[in-house]
Amino acid sequence: MLTVTHLSKRFGRTQALSDVSLTIGVGTYGLLGPNGSGKTTLFRCITGILKPNSGNIEKPEAVGYLPQRFSAYKQLSCYEMLEYYAALRKIPKSKQREAIEEALTEVNLQDRLRARCGSLSGGMLRRLGIAQALLGEPSVILFDEPTAGLDPEERMRFKLLVGKLKRKGVISVISTHIVEDVEAVCDKIIVLHKGKLLREGTAEEIVSLAEGRVYTLPMEESERLRQPYEAVRISVRDGLEQLHVISALPQEASPAEPSLEDGYLCCIHEML
């Protein structure tokens, strides 16, 4: 169990987190929010990198963490880099090789065991970061933008990994602003915006927030939309561009089925 109670954090005059309370059990959680919403600050407070101004955090001893910007010593091999992290996690020397090889296999880097970190592509380096978060069999793993720079195949591999962690009873929290990264794998969605917890619920519950607020119409007819509304996306149907919008006001347009992205956007644009 991971429990955050009335957590607040300031940087000068900036209120990065404001009275955030969460109770997270076994499963996979998606932490959604635009850039600057406080997601990374929350993770850094949980891991102890930052000290909150107020509030309390109760967590297991073993917490894995993939930072938003993971870096490695270029002159070290992938094995040596993970060996360094294994020592920090106090994994016994006799068990380090097995743990490192297993972690590299999970992220499809087993053939890069002896490759220098400086030779890795951006996506490979990201996968190495995921591998180090797995070391030591943590009961909680915090992933900050884990799929940044990954190709579609590796993004799918990461989703399969998250499913495997869930079956092992691991708590996984995935911080991202990309809704599709959490839609298929998360048991619950947490929406954070401007340092405040806006909503917490299942994907279905977040989707329901946009019921009756989603519309679609041809792009060429967008001038008849009543303000305020938010354009969500553009699609093509029968060769014509269709504009999808969310709006708290009734619109002269075709109602559409809401998606998780629509519910999330209704939260952060205060359309509830």
Side-chain angles (χ1 to χ4, degrees):
M1 187 75 75
L2 171 63
T3 304
V4 176
T5 308
H6 300 301
L7 192 72
S8 294
K9 176 63 181 177
R10 291 184 64 87
F11 297 100
R13 296 182 178 180
T14 302
Q15 189 75 45
L17 293 173
S18 180
D19 197 32
V20 174
S21 293
L22 289 167
T23 299
I24 298 176
V26 173
T28 307
Y29 293 73
L31 180 61
L32 286 177
N35 292 331
S37 61
K39 304 186 302 295
T40 295
T41 299
L42 177 60
F43 276 5
R44 288 177 176 174
C45 287
I46 291 172
T47 57
I49 296 173
L50 292 175
K51 183 179 180 180
N53 295 106
S54 61
N56 186 54
I57 300 169
E58 296 180 19
K59 61 182 179 180
E61 184 176 349
V63 176
Y65 176 45
L66 169 68
Q68 189 176 34
R69 294 181 177 86
F70 175 78
S71 58
Y73 293 111
K74 294 182 179 181
Q75 69 272 26
L76 296 183
S77 68
C78 292
Y79 182 88
E80 291 168 336
M81 194 69 232
L82 292 192
E83 192 175 34
Y84 168 75
Y85 281 107
L88 293 179
R89 307 275 168 81
K90 299 181 180 179
I91 299 175
K93 189 71 175 178
S94 60
K95 297 183 178 180
Q96 287 184 10
R97 184 174 185 86
E98 180 182 358
I100 291 169
E101 290 181 348
E102 181 179 347
L104 287 173
T105 299
E106 290 287 8
V107 299
N108 198 28
L109 283 178
Q110 63 273 18
D111 60 340
R112 295 283 178 163
L113 191 73
R114 298 301 176 187
R116 292 190 182 276
C117 294
S119 70
L120 301 181
S121 67
M124 289 178 180
L125 186 62
R126 199 74 188 142
R127 285 149 55 194
L128 184 65
I130 295 172
Q132 65 79 28
L134 302 175
L135 291 174
E137 298 183 344
S139 50
V140 174
I141 306 181
L142 309 176
F143 295 104
D144 198 348
E145 302 287 356
T147 61
L150 299 189
D151 61 34
E153 182 179 355
E154 292 303 332
R155 289 174 70 179
M156 178 55 68
R157 186 183 295 274
F158 173 76
K159 292 176 182 178
L160 294 174
L161 170 62
V162 168
K164 185 183 294 187
L165 293 172
K166 178 182 175 181
R167 292 191 293 274
K168 290 182 177 180
V170 176
I171 297 171
S172 298
V173 186
I174 303 170
S175 167
T176 183
H177 61 278
I178 304 173
V179 176
E180 64 185 57
D181 282 350
V182 301
E183 188 168 13
V185 298
C186 291
D187 303 298
K188 284 193 175 181
I189 307 295
I190 300 162
V191 181
L192 196 67
H193 186 42
K194 296 180 180 179
K196 296 181 179 180
L197 177 64
L198 297 186
R199 290 279 170 165
E200 180 183 3
T202 64
E204 291 77 13
E205 289 170 337
I206 301 300
V207 169
S208 70
L209 299 176
E211 288 285 353
R213 302 175 187 272
V214 186
Y215 301 88
T216 182
L217 75 166
M219 277 284 291
E220 61 193 31
E221 299 177 21
S222 60
E223 291 183 358
R224 60 186 171 89
L225 288 169
R226 298 168 58 198
Q227 293 283 0
Y229 68 88
E230 291 291 336
V232 177
R233 57 191 172 275
I234 297 173
S235 63
V236 178
R237 187 174 64 190
D238 299 328
L240 297 176
E241 289 188 329
Q242 300 288 318
L243 179 65
H244 294 251
V245 302
I246 54 173
S247 173
L249 294 175
Q251 297 286 350
E252 293 182 12
S254 301
E257 285 293 318
S259 66
L260 178 59
E261 182 179 28
D262 297 327
Y264 160 64
L265 290 174
C266 279
C267 282
I268 64 173
H269 290 296
E270 300 178 351
M271 292 186 179
L272 305 179

